[in-house]
Amino acid sequence: MAEAEEQETESLEESTDESEEEESEEEPKLKYERLSNGVTEILQKDAASCMTVHDKFLALGTHYGKVYLLDVQGNITQKFDVSPVKINQISLDESGEHMGVCSEDGKVQVFGLYSGEEFHETFDCPIKLLLFERSWMSRWKSSVLHEGEGNIRSVKWRGHLIAWANNMGVKIFDIISKQRITNVPRDDISLRPDMYPCSLCWKDSVTLIIGWGTSVKICSVKERHASEMRDLPSRYVEIVSQFETEFYISGLAPLCDQLVVLSYVKEVSEKTEREYCARPRLDIIQPLSETCEEISSDALTVRGFQENECRDYHLEYSEGESLFYIVSPRDVVVAKERDQDDHIDWLLEKKKYEEALMAAEISQRNIKRHKILDIGLAYINHLVAKGEYDIAARKCQKILGKNAALWEYEVYKFKEIGQLKAISPYLPRGDPVLKPLIYEMILHEFLESDYEGFATLIREWPGNLYNNSVIVQAVRDHLKKDSQNKTLLKTLAELYTYDKNYGNALEIYLTLRHKDVFQLIHKHNLFSSIKDKIVLLMDFDSEKAVDMLLDNEDKISIKKVVEELEDRPELQHVYLHKLFKRDHHKGQRYHEKQISLYAEYDRPNLLPFLRDSTHCPLEKALEICQQRNFVEETVYLLSRMGNSRSALKMIMEELHDVDKAIEFAKEQDDGELWEDLILYSIDKPPFITGLLNNIGTHVDPILLIHRIKEGMEIPNLRDSLVKILQDYNLQILLREGCKKILVADSLSLLKKMHRTQMKGVLVDEENICESCLSPILPSDAAKPFSVVVFHCRHMFHKECLPVPSMNSPAQFCNICSAKHRGPGSAILEMKK
């Protein structure tokens, strides 16, 4: 028996979990523990009958008429011997300074916990509900709120409203209006009200929750509109939600917008087919208008549950802390909302490590029992145990952070299980930096089994993480076995680069013809080392090599490059061509050489070169082009040398291209060339067609038409003549259009000039004579004066102007005439 009692004092949550399905994936909403210490001692000798909860303490009533004040840990702080019989109910005021107690023998006591105030009243039969109010002179005045419907089973008071339950139903009384405002009848009258008592709970000052049998009703007290009152109470009750539960209700409590329901459960044994008392359940439900949704449900293993009835259970709660007290004769259990620590416990128990880690990170300020690092390490161990090495290694970055000691510890763990490769991509490379031995150990692992992986790490890891000379020696040892391995050779070149041994690195890169050779030369200024390796560089990548050489002429001269490429003219051409593209004058000394190089290796660019070069010897170029029968180039050179007739003749005789010949004649704009072209074409009908179609705007077509022999068949002659006529008509139309525009513009400008000249001109004291530079108006207005103002706005005294001659009586502005801006004739002569 002693062993059984010891086991029962353990956490109720453990015993509850053992009875539930162990593999349940739904997390419980509440956690449970027994109220122990003084409560355990009390209930070994007595039985709990009721309890009430205050923010500061608890009050527990027993079957032997005792009332105990307890702290939240269950320790006894005060004890009252109230009655020799069962305590039915205890009530505390808001301040926690006064307590009311009623017992089975009809006694009601109200007394101060910290003062001498006391009130006693004894009732023979508990059939009335009396309201006692303190009147003036501290006398008590009583009034009957209700009687005649059997025993009052439960009373709950909140604000100005009192709710009570008797055998018939639930009533609500308004203290302010002194009126009973509703009667909510009992649904299942077959249940004995003393065995299945009503549970009442105020959610707030106007919302009452009623639980009776298996029925739950949520009632809302509302104000009645003035127009509806008449003889009715000022308030009325509306049932906003009503639903049935699976089990009998022993207690109710609000939890935000949800309900906590304590249920009495009876089940039927499969073996004996007898009904027995099962463990009570504590459910969290979400009320709806006509039904409810179960959020969570827990079966509680309380002491002596096999012998308890529905009336033996009570549910009390503390509003401020969301604490729920399940009271039974032999046990008091505390249920509280699970916090983040509890949530993390559950996730770890279910091996949901990643979710646990995330929850801890989000709530790191609120958790007390867990550390993020501990959860993370447990997660890594879990992944390793499952064989998920890559995920475990990746998580190390986040979990281990900058803790070098932990990193090194984990690396050795991965080495023990042969998974160094898995953790290598995630090792820290800056802050923190691990011991060189750690990085060398991993590099050796890759060097033994994975050359590509080894090369990747050398590329990615900074050279200061490990002892470079140790790794260089290890690579050289492996090259003794496989001297042509390109991966190892390239990696060795990179290691030489880290070690600033650029000569050896460049030699390997050139041997491998590796693209990084140019980057290495640029980065470390190795131009002095490549002066004798220009051909190798050009053979490897001529484009990049030429760009590099031209960008660094100050380090390797043009002359040196040309000399090095003397035996490779095709590469010499590539270099000189790119040089010419950049600057037409910089390589002028090599332009004569380039003629032959273009002719041999790059004829399409020969003609552009001849056109753009001003340093090319034309005679030499003409000789080469004539030797190779390059007609277009020869034509250009002949033209450039002034021999246009020979150039035209070559176009006609060699190319037989009349369009090109016409284009050439247009460019030269020489009448003799047109004459030669006509003479050459006059006996060739296709050429005559071409000329007729194209020379209309340069040569009079009649000159050509008159020379055409009679009877000669000319292709598309009609179309050509029509085109000539159309071109002529177009020219006439253009001339007429231009003439009309010119006349219209002239007339518009003439009108504008006329309007301008007709305007008056302001003459005041500020104006001066442009000849004598004295004020245009005399200071004495009474004196006679004569002023001439021209349309150009220049002003003169009349006597300052030269006398007009007899041949040209008109006067002109001296200033504008001198500046050749056109003579401004006088527009105004002022006299007085």
Side-chain angles (χ1 to χ4, degrees), residues 330-369:
R330 299 286 309 283
D331 217 347
V332 178
V333 175
V334 184
K336 61 177 70 175
E337 287 190 274
R338 296 168 63 86
D339 57 19
Q340 277 301 102
D341 280 299
D342 300 313
H343 175 56
I344 293 169
D345 281 334
W346 184 83
L347 291 172
L348 293 175
E349 181 186 335
K350 297 297 180 182
K351 300 191 183 304
K352 298 182 178 183
Y353 291 95
E354 187 162 12
E355 293 178 38
L357 187 60
M358 189 181 301
E361 289 170 345
I362 293 171
S363 307
Q364 56 184 320
R365 293 184 179 179
N366 300 325
I367 57 176
K368 299 174 182 177
R369 293 187 285 105

Side-chain angles (χ1 to χ4, degrees), residues 517-527 544 547-548 551-552:
V517 68
F518 297 102
Q519 183 182 351
L520 183 71
I521 295 168
H522 274 293
K523 187 173 181 180
H524 302 292
N525 197 19
L526 303 179
F527 295 98
K544 283 187 177 181
D547 285 339
M548 181 188 70
D551 290 340
N552 296 274

Side-chain angles (χ1 to χ4, degrees), residues 68 127 160 167 169 211 237 249 584:
Y68 296 91
I127 58 173
H160 302 299
N167 293 348
V237 171
I249 297 167
H584 292 347

Side-chain angles (χ1 to χ4, degrees), residues 465-476:
L465 294 180
Y466 47 85
N467 189 327
N468 199 63
S469 59
V470 171
I471 303 302
V472 166
Q473 187 57 48
V475 175
R476 292 175 67 177

Side-chain angles (χ1 to χ4, degrees), residues 550-593:
L550 292 177
D551 290 340
N552 296 274
E553 289 177 33
D554 56 328
K555 300 180 179 70
I556 303 180
S557 67
I558 296 172
K559 181 181 178 182
K560 175 65 177 174
V561 176
V562 174
E563 288 174 356
E564 287 291 322
L565 298 175
E566 194 64 43
D567 295 334
R568 296 291 299 276
E570 74 280 8
L571 298 178
Q572 197 177 58
H573 165 68
V574 172
Y575 174 77
L576 289 173
H577 173 65
K578 199 71 174 284
L579 174 64
F580 181 74
K581 284 290 186 183
R582 288 199 179 189
D583 190 327
H584 292 347
H585 308 289
K586 192 169 282 186
Q588 63 186 44
R589 63 187 293 186
Y590 303 107
H591 283 197
E592 183 176 347
K593 177 189 284 288

Side-chain angles (χ1 to χ4, degrees), residues 472 476 492-501 504-505 508:
V472 166
R476 292 175 67 177
L492 183 59
E494 291 173 357
L495 289 167
Y496 279 138
T497 303
Y498 294 147
D499 213 17
K500 298 185 179 180
N501 191 345
N504 287 344
I508 294 174

Side-chain angles (χ1 to χ4, degrees), residues 424-647:
S424 63
Y426 309 107
L427 281 186
R429 304 170 189 179
D431 185 16
V433 174
L434 309 183
K435 294 175 182 176
L437 182 61
I438 298 293
Y439 301 101
E440 292 165 15
M441 182 170 65
I442 293 174
L443 288 173
H444 280 292
E445 177 78 14
F446 274 92
L447 191 55
E448 292 298 327
S449 58
D450 183 0
Y451 287 162
E452 291 296 335
F454 173 76
T456 300
L457 290 184
I458 293 297
R459 269 196 311 274
E460 294 178 353
W461 284 0
N464 62 341
L465 294 180
Y466 47 85
N467 189 327
N468 199 63
S469 59
V470 171
I471 303 302
V472 166
Q473 187 57 48
V475 175
R476 292 175 67 177
D477 291 342
H478 276 264
L479 280 171
K480 291 176 182 177
K481 307 171 190 174
D482 187 2
S483 59
Q484 300 303 314
N485 189 290
K486 291 185 177 181
T487 302
L488 285 182
L489 285 169
K490 179 186 169 187
T491 308
L492 183 59
E494 291 173 357
L495 289 167
Y496 279 138
T497 303
Y498 294 147
D499 213 17
K500 298 185 179 180
N501 191 345
Y502 302 122
N504 287 344
L506 182 60
E507 187 176 341
I508 294 174
Y509 278 136
L510 284 172
T511 304
L512 294 175
R513 300 169 67 86
H514 193 271
K515 61 182 179 60
D516 288 348
V517 68
F518 297 102
Q519 183 182 351
L520 183 71
I521 295 168
H522 274 293
K523 187 173 181 180
H524 302 292
N525 197 19
L526 303 179
F527 295 98
S528 60
S529 302
I530 64 167
K531 288 183 179 179
D532 58 346
K533 299 179 176 65
I534 293 174
V535 174
L536 287 174
L537 289 169
M538 292 284 286
D539 279 336
F540 172 42
D541 190 331
S542 60
E543 191 73 20
K544 283 187 177 181
V546 169
D547 285 339
M548 181 188 70
L549 293 168
L550 292 177
D551 290 340
N552 296 274
E553 289 177 33
D554 56 328
K555 300 180 179 70
I556 303 180
S557 67
I558 296 172
K559 181 181 178 182
K560 175 65 177 174
V561 176
V562 174
E563 288 174 356
E564 287 291 322
L565 298 175
E566 194 64 43
D567 295 334
R568 296 291 299 276
E570 74 280 8
L571 298 178
Q572 197 177 58
H573 165 68
V574 172
Y575 174 77
L576 289 173
H577 173 65
K578 199 71 174 284
L579 174 64
F580 181 74
K581 284 290 186 183
R582 288 199 179 189
D583 190 327
H584 292 347
H585 308 289
K586 192 169 282 186
Q588 63 186 44
R589 63 187 293 186
Y590 303 107
H591 283 197
E592 183 176 347
K593 177 189 284 288
Q594 283 186 265
I595 298 170
S596 300
L597 293 174
Y598 275 112
E600 183 68 29
Y601 301 109
D602 189 9
R603 187 193 168 183
N605 280 314
L606 175 58
L607 186 57
F609 170 74
L610 294 173
R611 284 176 176 156
D612 294 339
S613 172
T614 57
H615 308 286
C616 174
L618 299 181
E619 294 82 2
K620 178 69 173 176
L622 181 62
E623 180 186 345
I624 292 172
C625 291
Q626 286 177 339
Q627 287 175 355
R628 293 176 177 269
N629 198 27
F630 290 171
V631 178
E632 290 188 18
E633 291 82 355
T634 303
V635 168
Y636 169 74
L637 290 169
L638 288 171
S639 171
R640 187 170 168 184
M641 295 170 71
N643 196 350
S644 300
R645 284 191 163 186
S646 297

